[in-house]
Amino acid sequence: VIISQFTMSYNTHTREKSSLEKELVESLSRFIRLRWIMAVGICITSIFARLILNISLPLTSILTITFCILMFTFICIYFQKHVKSYESFANLQISVDWIALIFLVHYTGGIESPVILYFIFHVIIAAILLSKWKCYFQTGFAALLIIGLSILEYFSIIPHIHIKELFPDPVYDNGLYLLSIIFFSITSLYISAYLATSVNNRLRKRENEIVALKNDITDAYNKLEVIDREKSEFTYKVTHELRSPLSAIQSLLKSIEEGYAGEISEKARDLVIRSEKRTSFLITL
C-alpha cells in the first residue's frame, strides 16, 4: 500500500509538471507565431512606406533584418522539439529578438524611431515566459541596448540614419532630449516589467494553489480507493468463511427433510424446513 501510494503521488507530481511544461511549450509556440506575424508585418509596412508613401527608409537593410528574423524563426520551430530546457530556449529567443529590434530601431531613425515602443511588448512576453528575475535581467539587457545605441549615435561612432519625412529636425544629438528619451524609455520598460511580473506571479500563485488542492483531492481519492479495496477484501473473506458452514448446514437440513436420517414427525419436519429456508436466506445474503 505504501509503495502504491508513493507511486500514485509521484505520478501525480509528474503529471502536474508535464502540464506546466506543456503550457510553457504552448506559450512558446504562440510566441514563435507572433514573431512570424511581426516579421511579415514589418516587411509589408516597410515596402508600403518606401514605395507608396515615398519615405526614405533603408529598405534593403530592413528587409535583411526581417529575413534574419524569419530564418531564426524557422530554426526555433525546428529545434523546439529537441530542447531540454524550454525556459532557457525562451530566454535565448527574447535576447535575439532584442538585438534584431535594436537594429530595426537604428535603421528607422535611431532613438527618434517610434519602433522603440515595441520593446514594451517583449517585456510583457518575457514576464509571461520567464521567471521574475530573468524578466528583470532581460529588461536590463534591453535598456543597455537602448543606451548603447543612443551613445553610439550621439558621438557619431555609428552613423545616424535620418528619416527626414518623419523627423524633419534631427534631435538625436540633443543631449537633454537624449537623456529624457533614455530615462522615460527605461522607466517605462521597468514599470512594464514590474506590472507584468506582478500580475503573472499572482496568476501562478493561484495556479499553484489549484494544483495543490487538486493534489490533495487526488490523494484523498487514492486513500479512499485503498480503504474501499480493503473493505471489499474483508467482505469477500467474511462471506467465504460464512458461506461454507452455512452450505454444510443447509445440506444436512435437506438430508433430514428428505428422510435420509430416518422418519421424523411432521412438527420436526416443519422446524427443519423453516430452518433450511432461513439458512438459504443467509447464504443468499
Side-chain angles (χ1 to χ4, degrees):
V1 171
I2 294 175
I3 294 175
S4 63
Q5 289 179 347
F6 174 79
T7 303
M8 287 184 288
S9 176
Y10 175 80
N11 290 337
T12 301
H13 175 73
T14 303
R15 285 195 301 269
E16 297 303 336
K17 183 179 179 181
S18 299
S19 177
L20 295 175
E21 191 176 78
K22 182 179 179 182
E23 182 180 350
L24 179 59
V25 172
E26 291 176 354
S27 299
L28 272 174
S29 299
R30 288 193 294 269
F31 179 39
I32 292 173
R33 288 195 297 269
L34 179 62
R35 187 190 297 113
W36 172 266
I37 294 171
M38 290 180 63
V40 174
I42 291 170
C43 286
I44 296 174
T45 304
S46 302
I47 294 173
F48 178 81
R50 184 69 178 85
L51 300 181
I52 306 300
L53 301 180
N54 292 321
I55 298 176
S56 56
L57 290 173
L59 190 59
T60 302
S61 299
I62 294 175
L63 292 180
T64 301
I65 296 171
T66 308
F67 176 77
C68 293
I69 294 174
L70 290 175
M71 291 298 99
F72 179 68
T73 303
F74 282 120
I75 293 172
C76 290
I77 293 173
Y78 176 77
F79 284 103
Q80 185 177 4
K81 298 180 180 179
H82 306 285
V83 297
K84 295 181 179 179
S85 174
Y86 288 99
E87 189 175 17
S88 300
F89 188 49
N91 211 10
L92 172 65
Q93 292 186 62
I94 293 172
S95 299
V96 174
D97 285 345
W98 288 135
I99 297 172
L101 193 55
I102 202 67
F103 273 102
L104 283 174
V105 170
H106 171 64
Y107 284 109
T108 55
I111 198 67
E112 304 166 350
S113 173
V115 178
I116 200 171
L117 296 175
Y118 282 121
F119 275 84
I120 295 178
F121 295 145
H122 266 63
V123 168
I124 297 173
I125 292 173
I128 294 173
L129 295 177
L130 305 176
S131 63
K132 179 180 178 180
W133 296 112
K134 286 185 179 179
C135 176
Y136 284 136
F137 175 79
Q138 285 290 350
T139 304
F141 180 52
L144 287 176
L145 290 176
I146 293 174
I147 295 172
L149 177 65
S150 303
I151 293 174
L152 291 175
E153 290 188 354
Y154 180 78
F155 289 103
S156 300
I157 298 174
I158 60 174
H160 172 74
I161 298 176
H162 180 56
I163 313 298
K164 59 181 182 298
E165 292 84 3
L166 298 178
F167 319 105
D169 299 318
V171 291
Y172 74 96
D173 54 352
N174 185 323
L176 183 61
Y177 173 83
L178 188 65
L179 289 175
S180 63
I181 287 295
I182 291 175
F183 173 77
F184 286 110
S185 297
I186 293 175
T187 53
S188 297
L189 290 178
Y190 273 102
I191 291 172
S192 300
Y194 172 76
L195 294 175
T197 52
S198 298
V199 172
N200 194 47
N201 286 339
R202 290 194 188 97
L203 292 176
R204 287 182 179 177
K205 183 178 179 180
R206 295 291 183 271
E207 183 180 2
N208 290 334
E209 290 175 354
I210 293 173
V211 170
L213 180 60
K214 181 181 177 182
N215 289 338
D216 291 341
I217 294 174
T218 302
D219 291 340
Y221 176 76
N222 292 334
K223 290 178 181 178
L224 285 174
E225 277 192 331
V226 173
I227 294 172
D228 184 68
R229 185 164 58 249
E230 291 175 350
K231 180 202 69 176
S232 299
E233 292 175 356
F234 173 77
T235 304
Y236 173 78
K237 290 178 180 179
V238 171
T239 302
H240 177 74
E241 294 297 326
L242 291 177
R243 183 185 295 273
S244 297
L246 285 173
S247 297
I249 294 171
Q250 184 186 41
S251 177
L252 293 174
L253 289 173
K254 282 187 177 181
S255 299
I256 295 172
E257 179 188 348
E258 294 173 0
Y260 289 106
E263 292 295 331
I264 59 175
S265 64
E266 288 299 323
K267 186 175 182 179
R269 183 183 297 277
D270 181 61
L271 292 174
V272 170
I273 291 174
R274 289 166 62 184
S275 299
E276 192 274 330
K277 286 182 178 179
R278 292 299 180 90
T279 306
S280 178
F281 171 77
L282 285 176
I283 292 175
T284 304
L285 179 63

